[in-house]
Coordinates of all heavy atoms in Angstrom, one line a residue:
G111 N -7.2 4.5 8.0 CA -6.0 3.7 7.8 C -4.8 4.4 8.5 O -5.0 5.3 9.3
E112 N -3.6 4.0 8.1 CA -2.4 4.5 8.8 C -1.9 5.8 8.1 O -0.8 6.3 8.3 CB -1.3 3.5 8.8 CG -0.6 3.3 7.4 CD -1.4 2.3 6.5 OE1 -2.6 2.1 6.7 OE2 -0.7 1.8 5.6
F113 N -2.8 6.4 7.2 CA -2.4 7.6 6.5 C -3.4 8.7 6.9 O -4.4 8.5 7.4 CB -2.4 7.3 5.0 CG -3.8 6.9 4.5 CD1 -4.8 7.8 4.2 CD2 -4.1 5.5 4.4 CE1 -6.0 7.3 3.7 CE2 -5.3 5.1 4.0 CZ -6.3 6.0 3.6
G114 N -2.9 10.0 6.5 CA -3.8 11.1 6.7 C -3.0 12.3 7.3 O -1.8 12.3 7.5
Y115 N -3.7 13.4 7.5 CA -3.1 14.6 8.0 C -3.4 14.8 9.5 O -4.3 14.3 10.1 CB -3.6 15.9 7.2 CG -5.1 16.0 7.3 CD1 -5.7 16.6 8.4 CD2 -5.9 15.7 6.1 CE1 -7.1 16.8 8.5 CE2 -7.3 15.9 6.2 CZ -7.9 16.4 7.3 OH -9.3 16.6 7.4
S116 N -2.5 15.6 10.1 CA -2.7 16.1 11.5 C -2.1 17.5 11.5 O -1.3 17.9 10.7 CB -1.9 15.1 12.5 OG -0.5 15.1 12.1
E117 N -2.5 18.3 12.5 CA -2.0 19.6 12.6 C -2.0 20.1 14.1 O -2.7 19.5 15.0 CB -2.9 20.6 11.8 CG -4.3 20.7 12.3 CD -5.4 19.8 11.6 OE1 -5.0 19.3 10.5 OE2 -6.5 19.8 12.0
R118 N -1.3 21.1 14.4 CA -1.3 21.8 15.7 C -1.0 23.2 15.5 O -0.2 23.6 14.6 CB -0.3 21.1 16.6 CG 1.1 21.2 16.3 CD 2.0 20.3 17.2 NE 3.4 20.4 16.8 CZ 4.3 20.9 17.6 NH1 3.9 21.5 18.8 NH2 5.6 20.9 17.3
D119 N -1.5 24.0 16.5 CA -1.2 25.5 16.5 C 0.1 25.8 17.2 O 0.4 25.2 18.2 CB -2.3 26.2 17.2 CG -3.6 26.3 16.4 OD1 -3.5 26.3 15.1 OD2 -4.7 26.4 17.0
L120 N 0.9 26.6 16.5 CA 2.2 27.0 17.2 C 2.2 28.4 17.7 O 3.1 28.9 18.3 CB 3.3 26.9 16.1 CG 3.6 25.5 15.5 CD1 4.7 25.6 14.5 CD2 3.9 24.4 16.6
G121 N 1.1 29.1 17.4 CA 0.9 30.5 17.8 C -0.4 31.0 17.2 O -1.1 30.3 16.5
P122 N -0.7 32.3 17.4 CA -2.0 32.8 16.9 C -2.1 32.8 15.4 O -3.2 32.6 14.8 CB -2.0 34.2 17.4 CG -0.6 34.6 17.8 CD 0.0 33.2 18.2
D123 N -1.0 32.9 14.7 CA -1.0 32.9 13.2 C 0.1 32.0 12.7 O 0.7 32.2 11.6 CB -0.7 34.3 12.7 CG -1.8 35.3 13.1 OD1 -3.0 34.9 13.1 OD2 -1.5 36.4 13.5
R124 N 0.3 30.9 13.4 CA 1.3 29.9 12.9 C 0.8 28.5 13.2 O 0.3 28.2 14.3 CB 2.6 30.2 13.6 CG 3.8 29.3 13.0 CD 5.1 29.8 13.6 NE 5.6 31.0 12.9 CZ 5.5 32.2 13.3 NH1 4.9 32.5 14.4 NH2 5.9 33.3 12.5
I125 N 0.9 27.6 12.2 CA 0.5 26.2 12.4 C 1.5 25.2 11.9 O 2.4 25.6 11.1 CB -0.8 25.9 11.6 CG1 -0.7 26.2 10.1 CG2 -2.0 26.7 12.2 CD1 -1.9 25.9 9.2
E126 N 1.4 24.0 12.3 CA 2.3 22.9 11.8 C 1.3 21.9 11.3 O 0.4 21.4 12.0 CB 3.1 22.4 12.9 CG 4.0 21.2 12.4 CD 4.8 20.6 13.6 OE1 4.3 19.7 14.3 OE2 6.0 21.0 13.8
V127 N 1.5 21.5 10.0 CA 0.7 20.5 9.4 C 1.6 19.3 8.9 O 2.6 19.5 8.3 CB 0.0 21.0 8.2 CG1 -0.8 19.9 7.4 CG2 -1.0 22.2 8.6
T128 N 1.2 18.1 9.3 CA 1.9 16.9 8.9 C 1.0 16.0 8.1 O -0.1 15.8 8.5 CB 2.5 16.1 10.1 OG1 3.4 17.0 10.8 CG2 3.2 14.8 9.7
Y129 N 1.5 15.5 7.0 CA 0.8 14.5 6.2 C 1.7 13.2 6.2 O 2.8 13.2 5.8 CB 0.4 14.9 4.8 CG -0.6 13.9 4.2 CD1 -1.9 14.1 4.3 CD2 -0.1 12.6 3.7 CE1 -2.9 13.1 3.8 CE2 -1.0 11.7 3.3 CZ -2.4 12.0 3.3 OH -3.3 11.0 2.9
T130 N 1.0 12.1 6.7 CA 1.7 10.8 6.7 C 1.1 9.9 5.7 O -0.1 9.6 5.7 CB 1.5 10.1 8.1 OG1 2.1 11.0 9.1 CG2 2.3 8.8 8.1
G131 N 1.9 9.5 4.7 CA 1.3 8.6 3.6 C 1.3 7.2 4.0 O 1.9 6.8 5.0
A132 N 0.5 6.4 3.3 CA 0.5 5.0 3.5 C 1.8 4.3 3.0 O 2.4 4.9 2.1 CB -0.8 4.4 2.9
Y133 N 2.0 3.1 3.4 CA 3.1 2.4 2.8 C 2.6 1.9 1.4 O 1.5 1.3 1.3 CB 3.5 1.2 3.6 CG 4.5 1.5 4.7 CD1 4.1 1.7 6.0 CD2 5.9 1.5 4.4 CE1 5.0 2.1 7.0 CE2 6.8 1.9 5.4 CZ 6.4 2.1 6.7 OH 7.3 2.4 7.6
I134 N 3.4 2.2 0.4 CA 3.1 1.8 -1.0 C 4.1 0.8 -1.5 O 5.3 0.8 -1.1 CB 3.0 3.0 -1.9 CG1 4.4 3.7 -2.0 CG2 1.9 3.9 -1.5 CD1 4.5 4.7 -3.1
R135 N 3.7 -0.1 -2.4 CA 4.6 -1.1 -3.0 C 5.6 -0.4 -3.9 O 5.1 0.4 -4.8 CB 3.9 -2.2 -3.7 CG 4.7 -3.3 -4.2 CD 5.2 -4.2 -3.2 NE 4.2 -4.8 -2.4 CZ 3.5 -5.9 -2.7 NH1 3.8 -6.6 -3.8 NH2 2.6 -6.5 -1.9
V136 N 6.8 -0.6 -3.8 CA 7.9 -0.1 -4.8 C 8.7 -1.3 -5.2 O 8.8 -2.3 -4.6 CB 8.7 1.0 -4.1 CG1 7.8 2.2 -3.7 CG2 9.4 0.5 -2.9
P137 N 9.5 -1.1 -6.3 CA 10.4 -2.1 -6.7 C 11.4 -2.5 -5.6 O 11.8 -1.6 -4.8 CB 11.1 -1.5 -7.9 CG 10.2 -0.5 -8.4 CD 9.5 0.1 -7.2
P138 N 11.8 -3.8 -5.5 CA 12.7 -4.2 -4.5 C 14.0 -3.5 -4.3 O 14.5 -3.3 -3.2 CB 13.0 -5.7 -4.8 CG 11.8 -6.1 -5.6 CD 11.4 -4.9 -6.4
G139 N 14.5 -2.9 -5.4 CA 15.8 -2.2 -5.4 C 15.6 -0.7 -5.3 O 16.5 0.1 -5.4
A140 N 14.4 -0.2 -4.9 CA 14.1 1.2 -4.9 C 14.9 1.9 -3.8 O 15.0 1.4 -2.7 CB 12.6 1.4 -4.7
S141 N 15.3 3.1 -4.1 CA 15.9 4.0 -3.1 C 15.1 5.2 -3.0 O 14.0 5.4 -3.6 CB 17.4 4.4 -3.6 OG 17.3 5.2 -4.7
R142 N 15.6 6.2 -2.2 CA 14.8 7.4 -2.0 C 14.8 8.3 -3.2 O 14.0 9.2 -3.3 CB 15.4 8.2 -0.9 CG 15.1 7.6 0.5 CD 15.7 8.4 1.7 NE 15.4 7.9 3.0 CZ 15.9 6.9 3.6 NH1 16.9 6.2 3.0 NH2 15.5 6.5 4.8

Side-chain angles (χ1 to χ4, degrees):
E112 75 279 17
F113 57 87
Y115 58 77
S116 59
E117 66 262 351
R118 65 189 181 110
D119 287 332
L120 302 179
D123 297 320
R124 187 170 279 101
I125 58 174
E126 180 184 85
V127 176
T128 298
Y129 191 94
T130 302
Y133 275 98
I134 62 166
R135 185 73 60 85
V136 296
S141 67
R142 287 180 173 82

